[in-house]
Amino acid sequence: LEFPTDFVHDLEGFSQDDEGAALTGTVGAYEIQRRVGRGGMGEVYLAHDRTFGNLVALKVLYDAALREAQHARLCSGHPHIVTMYDVFEGRLGDRMRTVLVMEYIAGKPASRLVEDDPPPLRDAVRWARHAAAAIAHAHDRGVLHCDLKPANILITPEDGQRSWISASGAPRSSG
């Protein structure tokens, strides 16, 4: 999977907050609202897409990682995998960063739901079926997730009816 050569953007619109932690600002069409998560590969921000007027998730990887973006793009299109809309790279401070622009899912990680109040068995089974179908879809495209855990499965608030996985969890090629 190839990306266009013009996907490298200037990240100077991003800056760190007063505590030097979370990013703030705007780059291109994306205006950061707040940080919504942090993990081993990067930080996730809720952002406003000023072109289309919708909310998106920006996953800012700690290091440049086009391979992750390529795998995430291969897996897009499944009803239980977070859709990736765009990818770009740029220098932030002294390091190159890859930024994934993804569908924003207003849900909670399954790990938090389980900690707060264990779900009914039928809900847990439904979530597991959704995750299994998503992983099968990724495997059919030659992608191994390698970081599937409750913290990487989002459950939407509509009675816990849908679960989503991020296709960008430490992917590896199965071929």
Side-chain angles (χ1 to χ4, degrees):
L1 180 66
E2 297 294 324
F3 289 99
T5 56
D6 64 345
F7 80 102
V8 177
H9 294 281
D10 179 8
L11 297 185
E12 288 181 15
F14 285 154
S15 60
Q16 292 187 319
D17 65 12
D18 293 336
E19 297 159 4
L23 297 176
T24 60
T26 301
V27 65
Y30 308 108
E31 181 180 352
I32 290 181
Q33 306 292 310
R34 62 184 164 85
R35 183 171 50 200
V36 294
R38 184 182 340 188
M41 297 187 72
E43 296 178 336
V44 180
Y45 295 86
L46 174 64
H48 178 250
D49 181 337
R50 295 180 306 165
T51 301
F52 295 105
N54 60 315
L55 295 176
V56 296
L58 297 182
K59 184 171 186 179
V60 181
L61 304 178
Y62 293 132
D63 295 304
L66 289 179
R67 181 177 166 152
E68 179 174 346
Q70 291 169 334
H71 286 105
R73 196 167 201 159
L74 282 172
C75 295
S76 280
H78 187 274
H80 298 290
I81 294 179
V82 176
T83 301
M84 189 173 82
Y85 300 132
D86 194 9
V87 60
F88 55 90
E89 263 193 343
R91 185 163 298 284
L92 185 61
D94 62 347
R95 295 166 60 183
M96 288 296 288
R97 299 287 186 97
T98 299
V99 179
L100 307 180
V101 182
M102 302 181 297
E103 171 183 20
Y104 174 68
I105 304 295
K108 286 186 176 182
S111 58
R112 193 174 321 150
L113 290 175
V114 171
E115 289 171 4
D116 292 347
D117 187 28
L121 181 60
R122 71 181 178 283
D123 290 344
V125 168
R126 182 182 322 108
W127 302 341
R129 280 191 194 145
H130 293 172
I135 292 299
H137 177 81
H139 287 183
D140 289 347
R141 280 145 188 80
V143 176
L144 302 177
H145 192 282
C146 300
D147 195 26
L148 185 62
K149 58 188 176 187
N152 290 338
I153 299 173
L154 296 172
I155 308 299
T156 56
E158 304 87 39
D159 301 321
Q161 295 299 309
R162 304 248 349 237
S163 63
W164 305 77
I165 67 165
S166 169
S168 59
R172 304 233 188 286
S173 174
S174 65

